[in-house]
Amino acid sequence: MKNHKRMLLACLTVAVAMFAVSASSASAAVWKDKGVNVSKFISIGLTGGENFEFEGANGMNCEIHATLTTEGGSTGKITAWEIKKCTGFGTYSTCEANVKEAKGLPWTVDVNATDLTITNMKVKRSFKNCAKGELEKTVASSTVVLNTPSEITEMEFSGTNETYKQFGSFKVDAPNSGTYGIG
């Protein structure tokens, strides 16, 4: 009987230890400012480009300036998504994007262990000199890969919605390049 109690106690100890490790590894990463948890409002400018492809190798490359904000914790927001000059390819090669607008801002940004997730990125584009008159698509979940999660200077994003693919990259604008991260 004594051995049975020891075995039960040993199993219980192992189970508690496994639960503690599992709980600590499941905790969400948070925004950091030079390694310290962010506890105030911050705004991070992002400059780069977005490509979208629709129905195969047809789409556009666009210059983008975006703003990511957070007040700390494990979330943030894309509060601005300015689409600038676009150049088409494939069936969009003759198209001019005359209306380019982000819809439903702010978009939610969730902090994961080593990357970010942007939820419900919705962009509407209208074209002239083009067989396509308008394109409005929502990407439910875009993954944002960070070059150095603890000191972000660059990031790449990608997401899909059936035959629509969206992807691109950003550099973090000065003076915030390398200042903020996640952990």
Side-chain angles (χ1 to χ4, degrees), residues 144-161:
V144 183
V145 177
L146 309 171
N147 69 325
T148 309
S150 62
E151 299 174 341
I152 305 167
T153 58
E154 296 179 23
M155 56 183 74
E156 297 180 1
F157 64 95
S158 64
T160 60
N161 175 350

Side-chain angles (χ1 to χ4, degrees), residues 1-120:
M1 187 71 166
K2 209 174 196 179
N3 284 338
H4 180 66
K5 286 183 182 181
R6 284 185 190 157
M7 181 63 96
L8 183 60
L9 182 59
C11 288
L12 185 58
T13 302
V14 168
V16 168
M18 288 177 61
F19 176 74
V21 167
S22 173
S24 68
S25 65
S27 63
V30 296
W31 289 103
K32 302 279 187 173
D33 178 354
K34 297 181 184 122
V36 178
N37 289 1
V38 169
S39 60
K40 62 181 174 32
F41 177 84
I42 60 171
S43 180
I44 303 169
L46 306 169
T47 301
E50 170 198 29
N51 298 307
F52 74 84
E53 291 181 359
F54 186 59
E55 299 172 341
N58 306 298
M60 290 192 153
N61 305 324
C62 299
E63 296 172 14
I64 304 286
H65 188 266
T67 303
L68 187 154
T69 64
T70 185
E71 293 185 41
S74 60
T75 62
K77 299 175 185 174
I78 298 292
T79 58
W81 188 268
E82 184 183 355
I83 305 168
K84 299 182 179 217
K85 181 182 175 186
C86 294
T87 305
F89 56 89
T91 58
Y92 288 85
S93 62
T94 62
C95 301
E96 290 180 54
N98 59 347
V99 174
K100 311 166 290 249
E101 63 181 313
K103 307 286 272 181
L105 290 172
W107 299 328
T108 302
V109 178
D110 291 307
V111 178
N112 306 312
T114 59
D115 61 19
L116 307 172
T117 302
I118 303 173
T119 305
N120 292 326

